[in-house]
Amino acid sequence: MQIMAGSAVLGQPSLVVLATVRRSAAPAGMPLRTNTRATPKRFLRLAVPLESRVQSMPTRASHRWSGFGDFSVMPQRKASASVYLPTGGARRSVVRMCGIIGIFRQDGHAAAEVYEGLLCLQHRGQDSAGLVTYDSERGRFREVKDNGLVTDVFNKEAMALLTGSVGIGHVRYPTAGSSSAQEAQPFFVNSPLGIYLIHNGNLTNTAALKESITHGDNFTRHLRTESDSEVLLNVFADQLQQAHKNDPENDIVEEVFTACKKTMQKVEGAYSVIQLINTVGMFAYRDPHGIRPLVLGKRSSMYGNEWCFASEDCAFGPIGFERVRDLNPGEAILITPDGKIISRQCVQGALNPCIFEYIYLARPDSVLNDISVYEFQLSLGRKLAQRVKEMGIVDEIDMVVPVPDGSRPAAIEMAAALDKPYREGLVKNRYVGRTFIMPDQRLRELSVRRKLNAMTTVFSGKRVLLVDDSIVRGTTMTQIVNMVRQAGATKVFLASASPPVKYPNVYGVDLPSKKEFIANNLTDEEVGRVLGADMLIYQTIEDLIAVGKEHNPRINQFDASCFDNKYVTPGITEEFLFDLEKAGRGKRQFQAEQPAPIGVASQPIRVASS
């Protein structure tokens, strides 16, 4: 875990003392050890300006705070101290993206509400969580971040440190970089001003941006991680530095918006961003294609209006905010320290949201780009039911069963449209928790059976239509079909609410490489045979896009690149995709001769033609 506190002024980097607490199991009474070695992945860090002294640190299993000696610090050196603390096991997540939230309050502390908002966004990422607040009275940032769930990372002691009426929070699944706690967000630069950033999305010209900021003609910057989010932060900071250098007398707010405009002109890919800028305020912006969501919320208090930015508006309700609107593509919004809101269209934009958000990523109680996720999924169910009717198998179906949880709305609507009973035949064990990535197929199969159980009383002697939101790799679905058959189903028809996933997503969804997609080079019939289903029915791309446009006719083009190989940003070539796969993204590293999962053919299955 990292906890930081710091401050900076324009053009003057903040000098800090770094103190590290090592988290690992140790007997009670273990003595304090100090060292300057590299710290392990799970750690607690305090950073304060040089003029301050570290006063306290948590000790041993009690998590109580006790003092330790002063540090002698030089600006270029880091002093560290370590003490054993208990730690939970490392956790791994399902394939998701990231979730971000920022809250401005007129008084009091924002951390508790940011925490609640992160809980509502936990479905978007489970690898790590981070939260930073800004204490305007002291001019200090205070940060906590670590690998793990929101409830794992933020304990009572950590929350007590997060003072300040403005805060931003992030939950992460690593789509670029690694799963190291060092790469957990937020990221920080102390010059100019002192800026924290959280980011949802994925940049597609990261290599060129790295080169420009680390080896350019201007002031060069050092990157501590492989994260594209840190690159984005440094590009913005570099542009802000240049804006101030070009006109030192200009208003700082104007400089911030100018820096954002220049950043958008340089950066390619998907990015929804919230920043805390020392003395300036909370600053949010969205890429010119609006690929990733970002929503503005508002509430009234006795001291004035309070504001919230979030990836999804499902985070607003529990903390009392009301949805105002989505940020427009290419728009930036600043919430000043006194609560004034300033909006500016930095570059011309065209709304091309990722359609996978509505199928798999977002919660059904969210509204993104004026489209209700729940209503969208119901419409998918109606379209898919029509496909089933066209296949002529309605009379062979006894009931419709969803694969929990994301496919429920589509399955409910399908059952109604087909005039078939809707049944919950697969029970999800919600108390197993996530497991490590399984090293072999047998353990992966065991993991599926631990989380899902097929009820014999539902399936015995029945012909069932199983509905899932999407089928990517097929390993899990193969096991589910097998479980349903073992529970007594006489026929298993399978319906996917999305079209076949055949191409990588480069905008912040860590889908596996194209070689791992079960639909890669296979027909629908062949995929169904591999999965063990009697028949497989996919949603068509045409119906998927039609549903989106029905719910928001103002959207001319969705990003559906993982289905149709049409990317909405420039530069996405076959060479780019190959290099991306070879370099490795998130936790999935490229292996040229990686064997296919058991039950999935490494070469296309040939079906005899009639």
Side-chain angles (χ1 to χ4, degrees), residues 426-488:
L426 293 168
V427 179
K428 190 173 185 179
N429 187 344
R430 303 181 183 280
Y431 303 98
V432 169
R434 295 178 319 284
T435 58
F436 292 95
I437 291 177
M438 297 302 174
D440 59 48
Q441 183 69 13
R442 183 184 63 83
L443 291 179
R444 282 195 292 269
E445 294 173 7
L446 176 61
S447 176
V448 174
R449 293 179 178 274
R450 290 175 66 197
K451 294 180 180 180
L452 286 176
N453 186 44
M455 291 193 288
T456 303
T457 53
V458 173
F459 290 115
S460 182
K462 300 295 184 180
R463 300 168 298 177
V464 59
L465 175 61
L466 277 182
V467 182
D468 204 359
D469 50 22
S470 58
I471 302 171
V472 180
R473 224 179 134 176
T475 307
T476 299
M477 181 53 65
T478 302
Q479 299 308 312
I480 292 173
V481 172
N482 186 47
M483 283 193 297
V484 171
R485 289 198 186 278
Q486 289 179 352

Side-chain angles (χ1 to χ4, degrees), residues 135-428:
D135 190 337
S136 58
E137 292 183 1
R138 297 175 176 83
R140 300 285 178 83
F141 292 108
R142 303 186 184 278
E143 174 196 339
V144 179
K145 65 178 180 178
D146 196 5
N147 282 346
L149 294 172
V150 173
T151 51
D152 296 332
V153 172
F154 304 107
N155 57 25
K156 183 177 180 180
E157 289 82 2
M159 293 298 292
L161 293 175
L162 293 167
T163 58
S165 59
V166 186
I168 59 176
H170 185 273
V171 288
R172 171 181 182 260
Y173 179 86
T175 56
S178 75
S179 58
S180 165
Q182 187 179 21
E183 299 203 359
Q185 297 186 39
F187 282 106
F188 176 71
V189 291
N190 61 0
S191 178
L193 292 175
I195 308 169
Y196 269 98
L197 171 144
I198 52 178
H199 165 221
N200 175 30
N202 205 65
L203 308 187
T204 57
N205 63 335
T206 306
L209 294 172
K210 280 184 178 180
E211 181 67 22
S212 69
I213 61 178
T214 57
H215 298 91
D217 297 332
N218 298 322
F219 179 77
T220 58
R221 293 177 172 272
H222 174 72
L223 300 175
R224 300 177 64 241
T225 73
E226 294 299 317
S227 173
D228 64 331
S229 302
E230 187 186 18
V231 173
L232 177 58
L233 171 60
N234 278 272
V235 170
F236 178 88
D238 190 52
Q239 294 302 317
L240 182 56
Q241 189 87 36
Q242 290 300 315
H244 181 71
K245 181 179 178 181
N246 293 339
D247 188 0
E249 302 302 320
N250 195 13
D251 178 66
I252 185 59
V253 171
E254 291 300 317
E255 292 178 354
V256 167
F257 279 107
T258 298
C260 185
K261 177 180 179 179
K262 297 291 186 181
T263 298
M264 289 184 177
Q265 292 171 344
K266 291 174 67 72
V267 172
E268 296 175 1
Y271 50 93
S272 289
V273 175
I274 308 173
Q275 297 176 173
L276 287 185
I277 306 176
N278 182 37
T279 72
V280 177
M282 182 167 64
F283 189 61
Y285 52 95
R286 193 179 181 195
D287 72 76
H289 292 276
I291 299 172
R292 292 287 153 240
L294 192 59
V295 189
L296 173 67
K298 175 184 176 181
R299 73 181 178 196
S300 299
S301 76
M302 61 184 299
Y303 301 104
N305 291 329
E306 300 180 330
W307 303 97
C308 181
F309 298 106
S311 295
E312 299 180 35
D313 59 2
C314 66
F316 291 165
I319 51 179
F321 284 89
E322 294 183 358
R323 173 188 173 88
V324 176
R325 62 176 177 89
D326 300 277
L327 269 71
N328 295 318
E331 181 187 17
I333 295 179
L334 174 67
I335 309 297
T336 66
D338 59 358
K340 180 182 178 182
I341 183 169
I342 304 173
S343 171
R344 189 165 302 176
Q345 191 69 37
C346 292
V347 299
Q348 185 177 358
L351 184 58
N352 309 127
C354 175
I355 205 162
F356 208 61
E357 287 276 357
Y358 302 94
I359 300 168
Y360 180 71
L361 299 168
R363 270 180 33 169
D365 53 338
S366 292
V367 176
L368 306 178
N369 306 299
D370 294 324
I371 298 175
S372 163
V373 175
Y374 182 73
E375 293 294 335
F376 184 97
Q377 293 173 354
L378 290 178
S379 296
L380 290 183
R382 288 191 291 271
K383 292 285 189 182
L384 196 52
Q386 185 59 40
R387 287 273 294 153
V388 172
K389 291 177 182 179
E390 293 170 0
M391 302 300 290
I393 61 171
V394 176
D395 293 338
E396 300 180 53
I397 297 171
D398 294 323
M399 61 184 179
V400 178
V401 176
V403 177
D405 290 309
S407 63
R408 281 198 177 97
I412 290 171
E413 199 67 7
M414 286 187 73
L418 297 173
D419 195 23
K420 298 294 180 180
Y422 171 87
R423 295 290 182 267
E424 292 279 353
L426 293 168
V427 179
K428 190 173 185 179

